[in-house]
Amino acid sequence: MYGELTDKDTTEKMRLTFENYEMNSFEILMYKKNRTPVWFFVKIAPIRNEQEKVVLFLCTFSDITAFKQPIEDDSSKGWGKFARLTRALTSSRGVLQQLQPTVHKGENVHKHSRLAEVLQLGSDILPQYKQETPKTPPHIILHYCLFKTTWDWVILILTFYTAIMVPYNVSFKMKQNNVTWLVVDSIVDVIFLVDIVLNFHTTFVGPAGEVISDPKLIRMNYLKTWFVIDLLSCLPYDVINAFENVDEGISSLFSSLKVVRLLRLGRVARKLDHYIEYGAAVLVLLVCVFGLAAHWLACIWYSIGYYEIIDEETNIIRKDSWLYILAETVGTPYYYNDSSGNWDGGPNNDSVYITSLYFTMTSLTSIGFGNIAPTTDGEKIFAVAMMMIGFHCLNYWQNSYLIYCVMILYCI
């Protein structure tokens, strides 16, 4: 809509107003499609959400061509100019009536000229932007309220705690005989159970972007999406495994079912989507994902070594296994117990976990250093898969880091 007579200084001020998220007003000459000049009074107001972040701009365009001095030429002299201005005022009557504030009976208001109303465009003329809180039943919680946001962060932290502890407990077959850890895990299970109850009473966003507050629709939506996963996540597996008289097969089954809790990370990824636009948040997220992946792979690496260190056919320990070498190095060798007929001894869990994490870190970031090497077929297959995962992940992370550096240099 800009043309040859549009003031360049005014257009530059408008651009800076948008870039700096400011409120301002301008008089500017623009052009229609048929190149007819039109004067506008433009009012720009930024609209902010609950987090004080500008989400859109409210721009009001008012036609003030009738009040600007008509362009003079040789044919517009004397009464001809006045006649043109009169016709312009008559044609703009509809616009002026729209700008005139509504006056109710019994109200004492000061009358201003219509020209002043057009040029001022005060707060009483500009529409007020305010997000209206949807009407919900008393027992329904808005999904964006302060309480639900704080609760989601608590669930997020506990989900990361679960993602770290569940693979460790399953791989190292840790029975929760420690009362402290048993109480902590029981509290986590109770919190997850309370989260299920809250999700049955929390609004959600529908396909068209509307807030769904109908209790029946909320229950049906939750039952179809995350209910089964959340229910399996809050079952007290640790309490069942804490009993000594539990059958070994049932205990292993319950320990394996604890891995289902890791599916809750899908909900975490959905909540972290809006942080992807920040470069620093992306780097922190990538580091956390890398550490979590290395932790999971370390638990798997130990499980493979634990099941393959002893030959099931001959009941002889593999002396080339990395677990056997680690046990000899730290001074806690394996020995055969004649009374039980099993192999006992070996390194403690802390030493084994640190060594496993060291191997997975070196394999993901490079090809390892050779001081810990796979010897069995299962270990070799896992090592190859881990190196392939590390190769693709490193390429992605390096590209993301380069993009972030370019963004910083561009901003500077």
Side-chain angles (χ1 to χ4, degrees):
M1 298 178 69
Y2 294 162
E4 58 273 7
L5 296 181
T6 303
D7 186 36
K8 295 183 179 179
D9 294 337
T10 305
T11 57
E12 180 65 19
K13 291 179 181 178
M14 291 180 63
R15 186 184 65 83
L16 294 176
T17 299
F18 284 110
E19 290 184 354
N20 299 328
Y21 304 111
E22 298 174 346
M23 177 183 291
N24 212 335
S25 57
F26 308 94
E27 292 183 7
I28 187 171
L29 178 65
M30 296 185 176
Y31 291 83
K32 298 181 180 180
K33 289 184 178 181
N34 58 2
R35 308 308 297 169
T36 302
V38 182
W39 278 96
F40 285 107
F41 184 82
V42 183
K43 182 75 174 183
I44 302 175
I47 305 301
R48 303 179 185 272
N49 58 11
E50 295 83 358
Q51 289 78 29
E52 293 299 323
K53 182 179 179 181
V54 176
V55 294
L56 53 90
F57 286 90
L58 177 62
C59 300
T60 306
F61 292 82
S62 303
D63 188 356
I64 59 171
T65 308
F67 305 102
K68 301 298 290 185
Q69 182 68 23
I71 301 175
E72 295 188 8
D73 52 24
D74 295 337
S75 61
S76 59
K77 301 286 186 178
W79 290 101
K81 185 190 301 185
F82 178 76
R84 288 174 50 189
L85 179 58
T86 304
R87 288 195 300 268
L89 286 172
T90 304
S91 62
S92 302
R93 182 178 301 174
V95 177
L96 295 176
Q97 290 176 352
Q98 294 177 2
L99 294 173
Q100 183 179 7
T102 304
V103 180
H104 300 281
K105 293 182 179 181
E107 295 181 352
N108 185 16
V109 295
H110 298 283
K111 295 183 178 180
H112 301 280
S113 64
R114 292 179 177 177
L115 176 59
E117 292 175 2
V118 173
L119 297 181
Q120 289 177 1
L121 285 178
S123 58
D124 55 339
I125 297 178
L126 283 176
Q128 295 293 327
Y129 178 82
K130 183 179 180 181
Q131 185 174 2
E132 182 181 359
T133 304
K135 297 179 180 180
T136 59
H139 62 281
I140 297 299
I141 304 173
L142 293 174
H143 64 278
Y144 55 83
C145 67
L146 179 60
F147 167 75
K148 194 59 172 66
T149 302
T150 306
W151 179 264
D152 288 342
W153 277 105
V154 173
I155 295 299
L156 176 66
I157 295 173
L158 294 181
T159 302
F160 274 112
Y161 165 80
T162 303
I164 294 173
M165 295 304 299
V166 166
Y168 182 84
N169 292 335
V170 172
S171 299
F172 288 85
K173 299 184 179 302
M174 298 288 292
K175 276 207 170 186
Q176 300 297 329
N177 296 326
N178 191 313
V179 179
T180 303
W181 285 109
L182 182 61
V183 171
V184 171
D185 289 339
S186 299
I187 293 175
V188 173
D189 294 338
V190 171
I191 293 176
F192 283 158
L193 181 61
V194 174
D195 182 58
I196 293 178
V197 178
L198 291 179
N199 286 330
F200 275 114
H201 299 82
T202 303
T203 61
F204 67 97
V205 180
E210 75 281 9
V211 177
I212 305 298
S213 59
D214 183 75
K216 184 178 180 180
L217 294 178
I218 292 175
R219 290 192 293 267
M220 293 301 298
N221 178 74
Y222 184 55
L223 288 173
K224 292 179 181 178
T225 52
W226 293 99
F227 173 72
V228 176
I229 294 176
D230 292 345
L231 181 62
L232 293 176
S233 300
C234 71
L235 294 179
Y237 304 108
D238 298 322
V239 176
I240 298 175
N241 290 333
F243 295 100
E244 295 293 341
N245 56 352
V246 176
D247 184 76
E248 186 68 23
I250 298 177
S251 177
S252 302
L253 175 62
F254 279 112
S255 298
S256 302
L257 286 176
K258 290 170 62 178
V259 182
V260 178
R261 293 182 175 181
L262 300 182
L263 296 177
R264 294 181 67 97
L265 290 175
R267 300 179 65 178
V268 174
R270 185 179 60 182
K271 294 180 183 297
L272 296 178
D273 280 344
H274 60 281
Y275 292 106
I276 300 301
E277 61 187 47
Y278 303 103
V282 171
L283 290 182
V284 173
L285 186 60
L286 289 177
V287 171
C288 294
V289 171
F290 177 78
L292 197 60
H295 169 73
W296 291 350
L297 294 175
C299 295
I300 298 174
W301 170 253
Y302 166 73
S303 298
I304 296 175
Y306 176 79
Y307 282 108
E308 294 188 349
I309 187 175
I310 299 175
D311 192 342
E312 295 181 356
E313 296 180 357
T314 60
N315 198 23
I316 298 177
I317 195 168
R318 298 177 185 270
K319 295 186 177 181
D320 58 346
S321 171
W322 68 273
L323 280 175
Y324 181 85
I325 298 174
L326 176 64
E328 295 291 333
T329 303
V330 299
T332 55
Y334 288 95
Y335 62 91
Y336 186 76
N337 192 338
D338 294 330
S339 59
S340 62
N342 297 324
W343 287 89
D344 296 333
N348 55 43
N349 291 335
D350 294 336
S351 179
V352 170
Y353 173 74
I354 294 174
T355 305
S356 301
L357 187 63
Y358 165 77
F359 173 75
T360 55
M361 285 283 190
T362 55
S363 298
L364 287 174
T365 56
S366 61
I367 56 174
F369 299 108
N371 51 352
I372 301 175
T375 55
T376 64
D377 293 339
E379 292 177 346
K380 291 177 182 178
I381 294 174
F382 179 75
V384 171
M386 188 163 45
M387 282 185 257
M388 294 177 64
I389 294 173
F391 172 76
H392 292 289
C393 291
L394 281 179
N395 285 338
Y396 175 76
W397 291 333
Q398 288 175 357
N399 294 334
S400 301
Y401 179 75
L402 290 176
I403 293 174
Y404 178 58
C405 293
V406 171
M407 291 172 58
I408 295 178
L409 294 175
Y410 176 77
C411 295
I412 294 176

